[in-house]
Each structure stands twice: as C-alpha cells, then as structure tokens.
Amino acid sequence: MPARELSLLLEAAKDAGRIATQFTGPEAQTWHKPDGAGPVTEADLAVNDMLESKLRAARPDYGWLSEESQDSSERQDAERVFIIDPIDGTRSFIDGSNTWAHSLAIAERGQVIAAVVYLPMLDKLYAASQGNGATLNGTAINAANAQSELQGASVLAARPVMHSDLWRDAAPDFNLGYRPSLAYRLALVAQGRFDAMLTLRPTWEWDIAAGDLILREAGATVSDRMGAPLMFNNPDPRLNGVVAGGGTLHRQICNALAPVPAF
C-alpha cells in the first residue's frame, strides 16, 4: 500500500511542478498573510488548488492539511491524511531562486508512509515509501556516511540556532550551511550532502512531513528538539523544532541543546 500511495504523490508532484514553473516568481501576484505568517503567491494557490482537487478525488476518505488551505478538525477523524506544502520556500520562489520545493506526504495514524520532495527547477525528485528506502531521481540514497562528531559537522540551519543560550555549553563549531526550504534541507541530509539539519522554533508539519520519511528511509534519525519521535496530524500542526542526522550525531546534538519546555 505505501508504494501505491507513493505513485499517486509522484504523479501529483510532477503536475505541481508543471503548474508552478508557468509562473515567474518576481512577477507572480503576491499577498502577505495576516499575523506575519509570510507571503503567498498566485503560484502557491494554483498548485494547492490542483493538488487538493487531484488528491482528494483519488482518496476521498483521507484528511487534508495544507499550508494554503483552511484547516479543519475533520482531519483528526481520518486514519490517513495528506500533509502538503504546495511551495516550500515561497520567498525563494518570489526572489527568482531555484531552491523552492513541492512537499507532499501521506501520514497514517501519525506516521508518514509515503513522501515526495520535488524541486522542478533543479530536476531533483526525492521520494520514499515506508519500508522501501529513499531515492533521488530513482537512485537509492542514504545518510550512512554522516560524520558522528559535533565539531566540524556540516549542518543546515539558520544562524540564530547558534546563539549560546540555546546550548548547554558553547555552541558547537559546525560548518553551517543554509537552504530556504526546510523540505530541501531534510532531503539533502538524506542524500548525504550534509551531516545534519536543525530548526529550533515551532515548525509546521507541512514543512517537515515528507522529509521526515525520506530521512528515516535513508537511515537517518529524526526527532523534535528534545529527541522525541515526530508525530503528525496533531490538533495543533506544529512540531517542537526538528533535529535530523545520523544516529550518533543526532544524539549528540540533542544532548548538547539546552532543555526548553514545549511551546
């Protein structure tokens, strides 16, 4: 069944790429969401409309959680739910960059079972289904060669996570990298391009769900900032940060972080 679900997501992701690339980011009509929730463009909405129509028609009994759709408590009653970010990295899209992604996932009773992260401008299609490994453009990927030591590890994160108050002792001496899309950051760790990624603020499920499975199927460990496994389709669809990397490095990062209460 997970492989069948992945086939549906792959087809939908490619359709999403065809729609999004019809728009020119800097010229696309843009609005700003209330309460500082960030920008949204006509491309985000067009992709979301297509995905909601296509995916819900194919699986009418599944719940729906998307960044660009009004949330409903009805998804809580569904055994399976789509978790979608039509364009992850909207600011990157607006700037005319090529590192934005479509992030599509299906979760079953809180666990992601099929996932796709697609970057059409880079021709990168990351995919995974539960128990079947992770791939990039059809070729198996793994995170097995990740560095195990904190010092010198290549880590994808925004610079504010290195503030000393966030760590038990001094912040580790990471080789810090950055990509605007959280889904892409997760996929790059799964690919073995970076040793780890972390984000410490409350993080929306739609940014993380697809990358969570791709990472786990590639052999990495993923958790919230306190080391707890990620669960999806929560009433409040936010996670308490995310830490991802090879098992040893993941544990070291979690142990080095200063403890904080859940948001």
Side-chain angles (χ1 to χ4, degrees):
M1 179 65 82
R4 180 168 164 262
E5 302 289 52
L6 179 57
S7 295
L8 174 64
L9 295 185
L10 285 167
E11 180 182 324
K14 291 173 184 177
D15 288 347
R18 282 190 284 271
I19 291 173
T21 53
Q22 293 174 6
F23 294 87
T24 302
E27 297 176 3
Q29 189 172 0
T30 302
W31 302 269
H32 288 275
K33 301 176 190 178
D35 302 320
V40 61
T41 73
E42 57 183 328
D44 295 83
L45 300 180
V47 170
N48 190 68
D49 289 348
M50 180 278 295
L51 290 174
E52 185 165 10
S53 176
K54 181 183 184 75
L55 296 176
R56 301 199 80 174
R59 305 285 190 271
D61 56 331
Y62 287 19
W64 182 261
L65 175 63
S66 168
E67 179 176 12
E68 308 305 346
S69 298
Q70 182 68 42
D71 194 12
S72 169
S73 61
E74 292 179 2
R75 64 180 169 79
Q76 291 285 291
D77 300 323
E79 182 174 330
R80 292 187 174 184
V81 59
F82 291 107
I83 304 178
I84 305 293
D85 194 342
I87 296 180
D88 183 36
T90 296
R91 288 186 176 88
S92 176
F93 177 83
I94 292 169
D95 291 342
S97 179
N98 56 9
T99 55
W100 48 272
H102 306 297
S103 180
L104 287 66
I106 296 173
E108 179 181 63
R109 294 188 293 272
Q111 293 289 316
V112 180
I113 62 168
V116 172
V117 173
Y118 181 39
L119 290 86
M121 300 299 290
L122 295 179
D123 191 28
K124 289 186 174 185
L125 181 62
Y126 298 90
S129 61
Q130 189 177 56
N132 295 304
T135 61
L136 167 58
N137 295 342
T139 300
I141 56 175
N142 68 76
N145 294 324
Q147 177 171 315
S148 60
E149 298 300 322
L150 285 174
Q151 302 305 319
S154 60
V155 176
L156 285 165
R159 289 198 174 277
V161 307
M162 304 309 295
H163 194 282
S164 59
D165 289 349
L166 298 173
W167 301 87
R168 292 179 185 270
D169 299 310
D173 184 21
F174 292 145
N175 288 321
L176 208 62
Y178 181 76
R179 300 292 188 278
S181 164
L182 281 168
Y184 187 30
R185 293 184 219 173
L186 292 161
L188 285 169
V189 176
Q191 187 184 347
R193 290 273 307 279
F194 290 83
D195 297 319
M197 69 78 65
L198 67 155
T199 181
L200 301 182
R201 61 186 181 180
T203 307
W204 295 108
E205 289 186 16
W206 49 71
D207 291 325
I208 302 301
D212 166 70
L213 180 66
I214 293 168
L215 267 162
R216 289 188 288 109
E217 288 293 326
T221 302
V222 191
S223 73
D224 69 13
R225 63 181 295 171
M226 303 302 293
L230 302 182
M231 294 293 291
F232 295 90
N233 195 26
N234 299 292
D236 179 349
R238 293 179 295 171
L239 305 169
N240 187 24
V242 177
V243 179
T248 301
L249 180 59
H250 171 271
R251 286 191 297 274
Q252 291 197 49
I253 293 174
C254 290
N255 290 337
L257 287 167
V260 294
F263 60 90

